[in-house]
Amino acid sequence: MRIFSGIQPTGRKHLGNYIGAIRQYVAGQDRGEAIYCIVDLHAITVAYEPAVLRESVYDTAAILLGAGLDPNRCIFFRQSDVVEHPELCWLLSSVTSYGELNRMTQFKEKAGAQRDLVSGGLFFYPVLQAADVLAYRADEVPVGEDQRQHVELMRDVAERFNARFGETLVVPEVRVPEVGARIMDLQQPDRKMSTTGGTPQGTVYVLDAPDQVARKIRSSVTDSGTEVVRAPDKAGISNLIDIIAAVRGTAPEEIEREFDGSGYGAFKQAVADAVIEYLAPVRERYTELRSDEAGLERTLAEGAEKARAIASDTLRDVREAMGVGSGHEVRSGQ
Ligand code: AQP
């Protein structure tokens, strides 16, 4: 079983990223051959600062390693270090439907949020994502709910490629967690917790100090009722139930039973305590790891070398199948 997922470089990974994706990445190391990358080539599709981007890669690397990624048990690298990703992106564009790309929710949302330029790269974002995964012939892609549509698209791309050029690529399965696949903004619980689209007080960051976490959770928007149960008209409480269930590794029903009759104040305090305890060790390890940039760079470079060995094999087969290049290629894995 081969697992692949990518994550954007930002120093401000939030609880949604952690519960929806990072937690699954760590668990994936025990379930199969796990490959994870920091997608700096995706990050340049919207407005950004070059110097900040490079720093953000280190921030994200330190968060992921702090969360429990172990370079001896997974392949962990920076996307732009493996040139096969953009090359495969271009090759796959020929079997990607323009109409499908046009229907991508993330593109519509992010395009609407750009002030100056809606880049072609933003439109192509899901094709690069398809290349990321398909280059490793991954069986499974752990993501949060918001990325399900992109995984559907990459499955279509792989199937179309195989139908047109012969069985070459693996059609991956999406893996979305049962609890916590869509953590909502604490102030606007009808919208997902998000790096770019959320409210500052409604977004808990992995690196927030304990008192910030407590303040944000205690002031989260709920409803005029008192019952700690999940219901369509109780988006705020439902979200907090999901958060504490995911953090404790229990079922939401258990949480509802435990906090039956306890009132919102005590429940919020329990959620805050659980999240603080959950994130504390990550923050501690982050601080230590982040201070050693050379070490982080070494880890990413070693990961890239291992990644390239796999991706270059796939690229050779893809080029061969598509009739691109001489057909006598021995890729050096440059
Ligand atoms: N609110 C969320 N709940 C559960 N999972 C989530 N993910 C994102 N938001 C939530 C998952 O986190 C993984 C990494 O995402 P990313 O950093 O590559 O960027 P993203 O999906 O675009 O999410 P962000 O952080 O909210 O960024 P913006 O604001 O730019 O959209 C993915 O697996 C994602 O599903």
Side-chain angles (χ1 to χ4, degrees), residues 87-101:
E87 182 180 347
L88 185 56
C89 172
W90 183 252
L91 295 172
L92 293 179
S93 71
S94 66
V95 285
T96 307
S97 142
Y98 170 82
E100 245 182 315
L101 283 181

Side-chain angles (χ1 to χ4, degrees), residues 226-275:
T226 54
E227 270 183 284
V228 179
V229 287
R230 288 163 303 157
D233 59 343
K234 293 167 82 74
I237 285 294
S238 302
N239 189 37
L240 292 178
I241 292 174
D242 268 5
I243 290 174
I244 189 169
V247 161
R248 285 199 190 164
T250 53
E253 293 79 12
E254 282 285 313
I255 302 296
E256 289 172 344
R257 264 194 296 277
E258 183 180 337
F259 291 94
D260 183 22
S262 73
Y264 288 175
F267 176 57
K268 283 181 175 179
Q269 188 58 51
V271 177
D273 291 345
V275 171

Side-chain angles (χ1 to χ4, degrees), residues 2 9 63 72 76 85 88 103 135 140 157 168 182 187 212 235 247 252 267 303 307 321:
R2 189 177 274 166
I63 289 177
N72 295 314
F76 179 45
H85 290 231
L88 185 56
R103 283 194 292 277
E140 196 181 276
V157 167
T168 311
R182 191 172 171 80
Q187 290 296 321
Q212 282 175 297
V247 161
F267 176 57

